């Protein structure tokens, strides 16, 4: 199955079960939203999870482009991405969580051909505020799927306040040999799908109140699912990333981890710049700036003559995205040069303290992390 087949199979499955396809929202939430980027499929649906009637009904399905900066430090491993697509399904006060788990398992097994022995699930074991999710535990047991209870790992919220609830996560065995251990004890169990019982709302005071309706919100990372179905070791070896890894590995000689980071960050930058966000020192622009500068830091560590200008149109198009990338490259290059000049002065020999870092930042525009990198 290529990526398009996977998307079609997912959407068809839910449409056959009465779900309306809603178009994905912009990666950039409206200004009234405190969040910089859409981080999950449920995010734009928040008012409907809180009870506002959705114009397309109570059963919905879609593919939503997401961006998560919370996972930035994990980029470079086999499964995390900054920008990714999320396959999502919702019951807005319609069917219950057990039905969602049953359909989820049916789709994985019959639609995607995933064998039962490669599946393990986790459910919420309860904490001081909310009791254990026995309904999900019973459902999985009836389905004959091994299940583990956890506390903190099986609670989902999109922020400190707002809709939240216990979740049940589905893991896939990615190891070479037969499955071993459990999701919390062996990282070769990789989470592929999260079914959230979105039934509570956390208030400013930390308390929990029932939502006006009991919902189900599910989300499954498309690239990760595809890597599993295509028997690939990582998301970077799937058809989604084929052009990126092929072109970049020919262009620049990089170790495997660096290549993954460069692929992820460049692709994410191209997507975000394409949405009209330019590198800057605040907000969304700062996210793009960090992504591009991290790429350049990796590239120049190996060879300072490397340039984003070497990227072919196949990856960055021929329009303004390339111009934005090159402008940022120029700016970062000049900053590094200035930094080297300043840091070669005698007063900056030895270990620098907070005061020196502040001075370098305020007077020369040199961020601390850059200075640390230059000193290294
Ligand atoms: N909101 C959940 C998640 O993002 C399920 O969609 O994982």
């Amino acid at each position: 199955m290529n990526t398009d087949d996977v998307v079609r199979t997912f959407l068809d499955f839910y449409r056959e079960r009465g779900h309306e396809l809603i178009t994905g929202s912009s990666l950039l939430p409206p200004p009234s939203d405190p969040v910089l980027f859409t981080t999950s499929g449920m995010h734009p649906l928040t008012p409907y999870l809180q009870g506002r009637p959705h114009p397309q009904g109570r059963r919905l399905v879609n593919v939503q482009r997401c961006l998560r900066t919370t996972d930035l430090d994990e980029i470079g491993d086999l499964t995390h991405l900054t920008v990714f697509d999320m396959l999502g399904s919702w019951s807005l006060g319609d069917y219950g969580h057990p039905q969602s788990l049953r359909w989820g398992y049916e789709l994985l097994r019959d639609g995607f051909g995933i064998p039962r022995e490669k599946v393990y699930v986790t459910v919420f074991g309860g904490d001081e505020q909310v009791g254990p999710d026995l309904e999900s535990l019973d459902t999985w047991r009836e389905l004959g799927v091994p299940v583990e209870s956890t506390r903190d790992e099986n609670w989902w919220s999109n922020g400190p306040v707002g809709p939240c609830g216990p979740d049940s996560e589905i893991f896939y065995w990615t190891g070479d040999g037969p499955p071993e251990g459990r999701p919390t004890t062996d990282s070769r169990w990789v989470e592929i799908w999260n079914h959230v019982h979105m039934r509570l709302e956390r208030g400013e005071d930390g308390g929990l109140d029932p939502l006006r309706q009991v919902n189900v919100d599910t989300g499954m990372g498309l690239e990760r699912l595809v890597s599993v179905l295509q028997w690939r070791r990582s998301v970077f070896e799937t058809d989604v990333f084929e052009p990126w890894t092929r072109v970049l590995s020919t262009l620049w000689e990089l170790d495997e981890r660096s290549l993954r980071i460069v692929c992820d960050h460049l692709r994410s930058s191209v997507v975000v710049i394409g949405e009209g966000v330019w590198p800057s020192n605040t907000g969304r622009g700062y996210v793009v700036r960090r992504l591009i500068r991290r790429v350049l830091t990796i590239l120049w560590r190996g060879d300072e003559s490397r340039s984003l200008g070497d990227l072919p149109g196949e990856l960055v198009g021929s329009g303004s995205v390339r111009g934005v990338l090159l402008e940022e490259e120029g700016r970062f290059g000049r900053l590094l040069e200035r930094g080297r000049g300043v840091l070669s002065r005698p007063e900056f020999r030895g270990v620098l303290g907070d005061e020196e870092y502040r001075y370098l930042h305020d007077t020369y525009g040199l961020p601390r992390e850059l200075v640390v990198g230059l000193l290294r």
Side-chain angles (χ1 to χ4, degrees):
M1 273 194 178
N2 63 27
T3 302
D4 291 341
D5 299 327
V6 172
V7 172
R8 198 171 324 109
T9 304
F10 180 85
L11 298 180
D12 285 351
F13 181 89
Y14 280 97
R15 275 191 294 208
E16 281 158 19
R17 287 157 185 78
H19 294 65
E20 285 291 319
L21 175 65
I22 52 170
T23 42
S25 304
S26 160
L27 192 57
L28 314 181
S32 56
D33 198 313
V35 172
L36 292 178
F37 294 99
T38 299
T39 53
S40 66
M42 64 70 70
H43 184 84
L45 292 172
T46 304
Y48 307 105
L49 293 161
Q50 288 169 318
R52 186 197 297 177
H54 193 283
Q56 285 181 264
R58 294 156 83 88
R59 295 184 182 195
L60 307 175
V61 64
N62 86 353
V63 187
Q64 174 65 50
R65 178 147 284 183
C66 303
L67 187 151
R68 285 190 183 174
T69 49
T70 43
D71 291 337
L72 268 188
D73 291 338
E74 314 216 39
I75 306 298
D77 71 2
L78 300 171
T79 54
H80 286 88
L81 292 171
T82 307
V83 167
F84 61 98
D85 280 312
M86 189 181 269
L87 302 168
S89 67
W90 293 274
S91 155
L92 300 175
D94 190 17
Y95 57 83
H97 202 223
Q99 177 66 79
S100 179
L101 301 180
R102 284 176 193 284
W103 276 339
Y105 184 54
E106 184 186 337
L107 174 58
L108 291 179
R109 192 193 52 199
D110 302 341
F112 294 128
I114 290 183
R116 175 165 43 201
E117 60 275 15
K118 291 218 172 186
V119 177
Y120 215 121
V121 299
T122 59
V123 300
F124 182 66
D127 62 16
E128 294 77 22
Q129 280 180 298
V130 179
D133 181 4
L134 300 175
E135 209 182 27
S136 297
L137 189 67
D138 288 345
T139 307
W140 287 120
R141 283 191 176 143
E142 276 165 35
L143 290 168
V145 178
V147 49
E148 179 180 21
S149 288
T150 85
R151 207 182 116 107
D152 304 329
E153 307 284 323
N154 285 95
W155 185 266
W156 207 86
S157 65
N158 199 32
V161 296
C164 55
D167 68 35
S168 186
E169 300 180 359
I170 305 177
F171 289 76
Y172 177 84
W173 175 252
T174 60
D176 290 331
E180 291 169 44
R182 307 185 304 272
T184 57
T185 63
D186 195 316
S187 61
R188 289 172 295 177
W189 286 107
V190 169
E191 185 202 335
I192 54 170
W193 202 353
N194 190 7
H195 289 237
V196 186
H197 201 189
M198 197 71 82
R199 60 183 170 86
L200 297 163
E201 170 126 31
R202 195 177 294 281
E204 301 284 349
D205 62 355
L208 290 171
D209 285 314
L211 279 169
R212 244 194 286 165
Q213 67 196 22
V214 175
N215 311 285
V216 186
D217 150 47
T218 89
M220 174 153 62
L222 173 62
E223 294 82 350
R224 203 183 277 184
L225 174 67
V226 170
S227 73
V228 161
L229 297 176
Q230 293 184 350
W231 299 76
R232 302 295 172 183
R233 214 164 52 89
S234 87
V235 288
F236 298 97
E237 290 167 32
T238 61
D239 59 329
V240 184
F241 272 96
E242 192 279 329
W244 289 92
T245 49
R246 173 172 43 79
V247 171
L248 299 190
S249 61
T250 330
L251 210 53
W252 303 311
E253 208 183 306
L254 298 166
D255 63 79
E256 210 178 324
R257 191 180 159 80
S258 300
L259 178 65
R260 289 189 207 127
I261 298 175
V262 169
C263 280
D264 171 86
H265 284 18
L266 274 180
R267 175 174 170 261
S268 303
S269 304
V270 168
V271 168
V272 179
I273 296 169
E275 296 271 349
V277 178
W278 290 41
S280 73
N281 280 338
T282 54
R284 290 173 181 148
Y286 186 59
V287 173
V288 193
R289 171 156 286 169
R290 268 176 71 196
L291 292 171
I292 299 174
R293 291 188 174 188
R294 186 148 178 234
V295 167
L296 290 169
T297 305
I298 292 173
L299 293 183
W300 290 344
R301 210 161 48 202
D303 174 356
E304 290 219 18
S305 69
R306 288 169 175 166
S307 166
L308 302 179
D310 300 337
L311 293 168
E314 179 188 359
L315 299 183
V316 294
S318 53
S320 53
V321 174
R322 175 185 297 279
V324 174
L325 288 173
L326 283 177
E327 208 173 293
E328 182 62 13
E329 174 177 307
R331 205 176 290 117
F332 188 50
R334 287 190 294 278
L335 189 64
L336 284 180
E337 214 170 291
R338 186 163 63 215
R340 282 203 194 99
V342 173
L343 290 177
S344 66
R345 292 200 213 138
E347 64 257 43
F348 298 115
R349 299 247 164 82
V351 182
L352 304 188
D354 283 344
E355 204 172 313
E356 278 104 350
Y357 280 115
R358 204 171 314 120
Y359 173 78
L360 287 166
H361 180 265
D362 295 349
T363 314
Y364 297 101
L366 299 171
R368 187 178 181 129
E369 55 185 18
L370 183 89
V371 173
V372 171
L374 284 173
L375 291 173
R376 228 185 261 140

